Amino acid sequence: MRTAASLALLMTVALTAAITAGCSSAQSDTAGEKPAESSGRDVNKSVTVKTDDGSAKVSLVSVSESFKADNGTKAKTGNFVAVKLRFECEDGKYSASPSYIKLKQPDGTVLESDAGNADRAVSLKQGITSDESQLVKGTSAEGIVAFDAPYDPGAKLLVTGVMGHILAQWPLSGGEPILGEGLAKREINKTATIKDLDSSAVATLVSVTETNGGGSLDKTAAPESGNFVIIDMKFEGKTGTYRLIPRNVHLKKPDGTTIDSGDGNGSWGVDLDAEELQSTDLSPGKTATGKVSFDSKLEPGTKIVVLDYKDKALAEWSL
């Protein structure tokens, strides 16, 4: 037979169990209400980008179409779009600062990561801290960057460089990333032999592209003419020592006016110093490749010419 004391003990245990079960149920309900979009839609698309200081493998890990801030911050537009990114420095130094991450809307509008309430939506634990963002070879950083904007499947995530050049872009809806502005090249691949004093070289106009400067988000780097013409060239020394001077490569307009890479904002047309055609001495068999940019419209009848020190044309190609 149970005593009064034992019955009282059983009732206490039962009441405690009921209260505990009730608390567990409440915690479960709360956990169930945590927004699933915080984890995002997996993307896991990567591309290696280069800057003048180094290179990094950048991965778009996931996209949250309607991100909910843990701290309760509300979006001014009514919605936060968030991306989770991973940066792995492969060479030199690379800055993974959120200030170089931008969202480009289908209408061309570019949003910064600190616009609206976006910079307050991501906690320090979730984001990329300033200590983590300065990467050296072999180090990495990962975190979330948010934008105060409605989700649009036509939008693109941009990773930019210090001067606003687009290094790479990912479609938010999915798909493969592309490097830079994604301009289509028109292949030329025509050669000409250049003879200058006691030396010679074979020059090849490899390709030509055009851009309105959309590859740079810094307006100070925009073409004054409204257009850049960017050419890829290759030079190979044949006899003597050919002195390659990129400023001797000109764009010749139909009216006879010649433009070099120093005119207007021509030098801003090439994103990286390493990609520019450099001055060098070419001995037989030695080659040099690189890009030259001109601040000019590409009109019918335009030519690329290589001039000597007396402005005499040594070679020319019609575009």
Side-chain angles (χ1 to χ4, degrees), residues 79-90:
N79 187 74
F80 288 120
V81 175
V83 295
K84 187 173 184 179
L85 293 163
R86 182 169 60 252
F87 299 84
E88 301 167 80
C89 186
E90 297 182 339

Side-chain angles (χ1 to χ4, degrees), residues 35 37-38 63-68 78-82 151:
E37 49 270 35
S38 291
V63 174
S64 297
E65 298 178 7
S66 185
F67 180 79
K68 299 296 188 296
N79 187 74
F80 288 120
V81 175
Y151 173 75

Side-chain angles (χ1 to χ4, degrees), residues 17-39:
I19 293 172
T20 302
C23 290
S24 298
S25 175
Q27 289 173 351
S28 176
D29 291 343
T30 301
E33 291 172 3
K34 185 176 181 180
E37 49 270 35
S38 291
S39 61

